[in-house]
């Protein structure tokens, strides 16, 4: 979230402007002083739980559709970090502890509240364990662990995720990428839905490819007419099983 002199810009890590589909958050960001740049994430609650599907629907919608979705389920902005301070300028070279203090002071002095909120932090292990166990009930997938001494380096992962793992048997029905290098798997879940896995690491892609390629016949990509807007699913190659279908264990 980037508060400019006249407006607010929301952009992805790649720099793509997504302000039109998160206009409710952009309007909330007006209360920040010009020159503020925050690192965060749009979050949507449905029936008291974090709903990543609702976030994906909003991100993939048109501006007109996004306004309708925002009325049904307004978004919240979970602030992870501050990159630029309105008075101190670029603070990425400071330690995380100092950046966090600056963030809390800035939002506190301005009495900034929902939908813009800093994520809770703690240095107490027991509190972290309590959060890890209790917050799963509202859809929080885990914790992020950061070093208090770390500076902010864009594009470099300086933290570690500790997440809950839930396994489910699924049938591989397609993939994105090439037959030589799978990027994601399209899997049919037990309730009949077809979903894409997370991006596969190179070692996992090689392991999965070795198991899957020998038992599947590639039927081709989805016709363009079947997809109304570009999406990873529109670039999926669909497969038909040659022999017995292997059940792949996935962790959503």
């Amino acid at each position: 979230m980037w508060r400019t002199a006249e407006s607010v810009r929301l952009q992805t890590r790649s720099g793509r402007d997504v302000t039109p589909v998160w206009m409710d958050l952009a309007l909330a960001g007006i209360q920040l002083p010009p020159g503020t740049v925050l690192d965060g994430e749009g979050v949507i609650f449905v029936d008291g739980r974090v709903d990543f599907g609702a976030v994906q629907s909003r991100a993939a919608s048109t501006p007109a559709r996004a306004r309708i979705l925002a009325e049904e389920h307004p978004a919240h902005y979970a602030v992870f970090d501050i990159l630029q301070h309105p008075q101190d300028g670029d603070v990425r070279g400071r330690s995380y502890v100092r950046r966090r203090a600056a963030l809390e002071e800035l939002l506190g002095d301005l009495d900034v509240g929902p939908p813009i909120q800093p994520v809770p932090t703690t240095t107490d292990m027991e509190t972290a364990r309590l959060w890890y166990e209790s917050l799963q009930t509202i859809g929080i997938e885990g914790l992020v662990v950061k070093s208090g001494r770390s500076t902010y380096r864009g594009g470099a992962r300086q933290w570690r995720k500790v997440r809950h793992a839930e396994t489910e048997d699924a049938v591989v029905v397609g993939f994105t990428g090439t037959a030589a290098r799978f990027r994601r798997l399209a899997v049919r879940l037990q309730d009949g839905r077809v979903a894409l896995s997370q991006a596969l690491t190179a070692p996992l892609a090689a392991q999965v490819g070795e198991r899957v390629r020998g038992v599947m016949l590639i039927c081709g990509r989805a016709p363009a007419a079947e997809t109304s807007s570009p999406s990873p699913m529109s670039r999926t190659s669909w497969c038909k099983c040659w022999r017995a279908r292997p059940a792949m264990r996935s962790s959503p």
Side-chain angles (χ1 to χ4, degrees), residues 40 47 50 62 102 122 132 154 182 184 189 192 195 199 208 216:
D47 297 329
V50 174
T62 64
T122 185
Y132 180 76
F182 294 171
R184 299 184 180 211
L189 304 176
V208 170
M216 283 191 157

Side-chain angles (χ1 to χ4, degrees), residues 39 43 82 92 122 245:
D39 177 18
V43 177
I82 182 168
R92 290 175 295 177
T122 185
R245 294 184 291 189

Side-chain angles (χ1 to χ4, degrees), residues 32-33 38 82 85-88 94 97-112 118:
L32 298 171
L38 303 179
I82 182 168
H85 191 278
Q87 282 82 46
D88 300 340
R94 295 183 183 181
V97 169
R98 293 182 62 199
R99 296 196 311 275
R100 176 71 187 197
L103 172 64
E104 292 180 353
E105 181 180 8
L106 176 66
L107 299 184
D109 289 348
L110 295 173
D111 197 25
V112 174

Side-chain angles (χ1 to χ4, degrees), residues 122-178:
T122 185
T123 57
D124 180 71
M125 184 65 73
E126 291 306 315
T127 300
R129 286 196 180 100
L130 177 62
W131 287 351
Y132 180 76
E133 297 299 335
S134 62
L135 294 180
Q136 187 182 18
T137 60
I138 62 169
I140 304 297
E141 64 180 5
L143 304 178
V144 171
V145 181
K146 293 184 177 182
S147 168
R149 298 188 298 270
S150 62
T151 58
Y152 188 100
R153 299 201 304 269
R157 178 169 290 190
Q158 301 167 270
W159 39 264
R160 182 166 61 91
K161 272 190 176 181
V162 181
R163 68 174 73 191
H164 294 275
E166 296 181 0
T167 60
E168 180 177 352
D169 287 326
V171 175
V172 177
V173 295
F175 61 87
T176 65
T178 67

Side-chain angles (χ1 to χ4, degrees), residues 63-75:
R65 175 62 177 164
R67 287 193 293 271
I68 297 174
L69 295 176
E71 292 178 0
E72 297 175 351
H73 299 294

